[in-house]
Each structure stands twice: as structure tokens, then as C-alpha cells.
Amino acid sequence: MMPLNNSMLITGGAGFIGSYLINQLIVKGVNVICLDNFDEFYPRKSKENNIKSFIASPLFTLIEGDIRNKELLDDIFKKQTIGIVIHLAAKAGVRPSIINPQEYFDVNVNGTLNLLEVMKNHSVQNFIFASSSSIYGNNLKIPYSELDNVDFPISPYACSKKSGELLTHTYHTLYNMNVINLRFFTVYGPGQRPDLAIHKFVNNIYKNIPIEVYGDGSTSRDYTYIDDTVTGILAAIHYLEINTNVYETINLGNNYPVKLSDLIEIIEEITQKKFIEKKLPIQMGDVNITFADITKAKQLLNYHPKVSLKEGVINFKKWYEKKLV
Ligand SMILES: NC(=O)c1ccc[n+]([C@@H]2O[C@H](COP(=O)([O-])OP(=O)(O)OC[C@H]3O[C@@H](n4cnc5c(N)ncnc54)[C@H](O)[C@@H]3O)[C@@H](O)[C@H]2O)c1
């Protein structure tokens, strides 16, 4: 069982999901250490904005550094009493991983291994790993269940996340670490990563830049609103607080896939603008559909996503318009 009064280490805490999570943890009075290297995948300014509302909080410590730096990790665990690591730091994104697979593996696999090793050395027993729906590849059976075979990734990114899950299982077995792998499904909301569809599309529609539509618009994604994802992560933390000998892999999706063509219509309706579309063939590495079976999340975490895509896109649009002025 996890000691409740220890600090939580959030890797990648200056990112989209991490900063929402930290905000909620601070509201609950938790001591949070955020380790982030402000990776150049998207602008540092966005990450500074993500953490600006709590940077001055006495409950918050920012360490700028890289999960690949083992000495730094060792130093952090020596100086702080950490009860749990929530590992969100990663090179994210499917398409760029095809261009630079080496770096994706270096951060997502070797970085994860570093963390697990240092945790083992300092007897830190609780780990939450940010996995991804992409590991289902082009699974024919929908919705995707945690029991499905995920041996067929179709991008280096997916493969690196699957490798991360294999590492967490190894450390659970060897050292009794308590682990929950959370498979996130296309998380969106205000502050979403700029490389992802909703952010990219809204930006383009406001700036009259054509959007690239891959395939015939029938590819579908199970878009999950950030507040629902964070509620799921908090429930996973709680699960580790009250259980022993845990190894679970859990889908955190919305259980409601939306076609690309429908997403385009929804954004047009909400922004009252029209897209300029540039049709392109389907991209290598992109899966046809993501669709989460969330039965397990409901049972173990009492996870019930609440925010509809329309509601979520309205919130995104409001945030985006504020950012423009
Ligand atoms: N957003 C989604 O839809 C989604 C879906 C599935 C899985 N995930 C996973 O969830 C996690 C968080 O995603 P996000 O959307 O918030 O991404 P994000 O890019 O906003 O956040 C990741 C953070 O990790 C940091 N980081 C990257 N490399 C690092 C390194 N070597 N050392 C320290 N920090 C490093 C980045 O600077 C960034 O702040 C990632 O692991 C991602 O793969 C996200």
C-alpha cells in the first residue's frame, strides 16, 4: 500500500496531461515533483503556460531535466521521499516516430527503464505508466479490450509504448512493484498538444490554412476529454493507495469513436467557419480506428467519462479564442 503523505513524482508534468493532473493533485494538497526537460516537440512557452498557475505553490517543485539522465534521477530519489511515480514523459506522436525511431526508443524505452531501475534502487514501489491506444495497431476486433493481443504495433511510437508495458511487467514480477499501465485514447481539451487533430484543425480554420485530411474521412478516434482522463489517473492513484500486489493494464477512453469526417463537421458547426481541405492518402503508422472497451476502468476505477465531443470542442474553442487575443 502506498504511504499517503509522500511526494508524487510526475514525469512530463509540464506537458498537456501532466499539467492538468498536477493542478488537481495540488488542489488536494499533495506534494508534487515535476520532472520535465521541456522537449522541443512543441514550444517551451506552451509548457510554461501549462504550469504557470501552480509554479509558485509551495506544494510544487519543478526539476528541469531528462529521464535519460540516471544520475539526476538518482539524486531526486535520494533527496525526496517519493511514494509513487506517474510516468507521462515521452516522445509523443505516431508520425514523427517513423522519421526518428531511435530517439523515440531512447526516451520511451531507455528512459522508462532508467526510472524503473532507480525506483528499484530506492525501494519506490508504485508506478503508473502512460501507455497508448496506438498499441492495439489495426486490431480487427472492436472495441479494444485489455485482453486483446497487442503484438502487432504499426509504428515505432506504438512499439515503444508496448515495450514500456513489457518493462513494467518485468519490474512488477522481479521486484513486486505495483503498476498500472493506463492506455490513453486521443486526449483533448484546452491546452491539447498542438500536433493533434482538434488543436491543429481549430488553429487552421481560424487562420484559413488548409487542413490535411488523410484517407476518405472514415478513420475514427475515441476522443477523450482531458478532465475524464485526469479523473481516471486520480482513480488509478487511489487504487494503488488501497491495494497491494497490483499489476493492471486499463483503457482510459471514451467508448465512442468519431469519424474524421464527423469531427470536421462538428468543428465547422461550433466555429461557424468552413475548412479548406487538402485530401491526402492515409498516412503510414495511422490506425483505422481506436475504440476503447472501458468495462475494466468502470469496474476497477469507477471511471465514467462524462464530456461529449461537442462539449469538449466548445471548451477548446473558448480557450483557443482567448489565446488569440
Ligand atoms: N495526448 C494523448 O492523446 C495521448 C494518448 C496516448 C498516450 N499518451 C501519452 O501520455 C503522455 C502525456 O502525453 P501529452 O499529450 O501530455 O504529451 P506532452 O508532449 O504534452 O507531454 C509530455 C511531456 O514529457 C516531456 N518530456 C519528453 N521527453 C522527456 C524526457 N526525455 N525527459 C523528461 N521529460 C520529457 C515533454 O517536455 C512534455 O512536457 C505521453 O507519455 C504520451 O505518449 C498521450
Side-chain angles (χ1 to χ4, degrees):
M1 230 178 295
M2 178 168 65
L4 293 170
N5 51 351
N6 289 341
S7 300
M8 299 191 183
L9 173 65
I10 320 292
T11 71
F16 170 49
I17 299 174
S19 55
Y20 271 83
L21 174 66
I22 293 175
N23 197 37
Q24 288 296 309
L25 290 171
I26 286 177
V27 168
K28 289 177 187 296
V30 176
N31 267 304
V32 173
I33 302 152
C34 164
L35 172 64
D36 200 300
N37 72 345
F38 292 82
D39 179 76
E40 285 171 359
F41 184 54
Y42 64 92
R44 182 185 179 98
K45 191 98 204 92
S46 306
K47 295 177 190 178
E48 285 171 350
N49 275 337
N50 288 344
I51 59 173
K52 73 168 187 259
S53 67
F54 47 74
I55 191 134
S57 165
L59 294 172
F60 181 69
T61 306
L62 174 65
I63 299 171
E64 185 164 347
D66 198 304
I67 54 165
R68 288 169 290 182
N69 181 345
K70 225 171 158 183
E71 287 74 42
L72 171 69
L73 293 183
D74 196 52
D75 199 50
I76 296 171
F77 282 82
K78 249 188 220 146
K79 288 188 180 143
Q80 317 270 355
T81 315
I82 293 167
I84 181 169
V85 177
I86 298 145
H87 179 33
L88 305 172
K91 292 295 287 185
V94 166
R95 291 171 201 160
S97 78
I98 297 172
I99 296 160
N100 197 356
Q102 207 82 47
E103 202 184 350
Y104 273 69
F105 262 68
D106 201 24
V107 174
N108 298 1
V109 184
N110 290 335
T112 302
L113 178 60
N114 270 351
L115 266 174
L116 291 166
E117 263 298 288
V118 178
M119 284 175 67
K120 176 206 80 184
N121 293 341
H122 291 270
S123 306
V124 177
Q125 288 291 106
N126 298 291
F127 195 68
I128 291 180
F129 175 61
S131 188
S132 163
S133 59
S134 63
I135 79 170
Y136 288 102
N138 271 325
N139 206 17
L140 291 177
K141 181 196 134 281
I142 47 168
Y144 299 164
S145 146
E146 296 86 349
L147 297 173
D148 294 346
N149 187 337
V150 288
D151 282 342
F152 305 102
I154 62 165
S155 69
Y157 169 71
C159 186
S160 73
K161 289 290 178 182
K162 158 99 184 175
S163 307
E165 288 190 4
L166 296 175
L167 281 172
T168 62
H169 188 262
T170 308
Y171 276 70
H172 166 72
T173 311
L174 289 176
Y175 309 113
N176 298 321
M177 262 185 208
N178 299 307
V179 175
I180 300 184
N181 300 311
L182 293 175
R183 292 181 179 162
F184 300 144
F185 283 67
T186 319
V187 189
Y188 76 101
Q192 186 195 24
R193 274 189 1 237
D195 60 303
L196 292 175
I198 294 173
H199 194 153
K200 210 161 55 180
F201 286 6
V202 170
N203 186 49
N204 286 16
I205 209 168
Y206 273 82
K207 295 184 177 158
N208 269 319
I209 302 168
I211 53 162
E212 294 179 341
V213 178
Y214 300 106
D216 61 1
S218 66
T219 55
S220 305
R221 291 291 175 271
D222 197 354
Y223 296 99
T224 314
Y225 193 67
I226 182 69
D227 290 354
D228 289 322
T229 303
V230 169
T231 303
I233 302 173
L234 292 171
I237 296 171
H238 182 62
Y239 190 87
L240 289 174
E241 282 170 347
I242 59 171
N243 289 286
T244 50
N245 195 24
V246 178
Y247 187 83
E248 299 291 352
T249 296
I250 304 174
N251 287 338
L252 283 188
N254 197 41
N255 190 236
Y256 192 82
V258 175
K259 277 194 192 136
L260 180 57
S261 52
D262 292 341
L263 175 70
I264 286 171
E265 260 179 40
I266 288 172
I267 295 177
E268 287 187 330
E269 184 194 319
I270 287 170
T271 59
Q272 294 289 298
K273 294 178 191 299
K274 255 335 240 162
F275 277 116
I276 313 163
E277 292 184 27
K278 187 172 160 196
K279 302 263 187 206
L280 291 168
I282 199 129
Q283 290 268 303
M284 268 198 317
D286 277 2
V287 300
N288 299 328
I289 182 170
T290 63
F291 185 178
D293 179 336
I294 54 171
T295 313
K296 188 171 177 185
K298 283 182 182 163
Q299 280 166 356
L300 295 192
L301 306 180
N302 194 22
Y303 168 80
H304 299 275
K306 291 190 173 58
V307 182
S308 70
L309 184 63
K310 274 197 180 173
E311 232 180 302
V313 172
I314 290 170
N315 291 346
F316 183 88
K317 173 192 167 242
K318 283 185 192 150
W319 171 82
Y320 182 86
E321 284 181 340
K322 244 199 228 159
K323 198 164 67 97
L324 274 184
V325 291

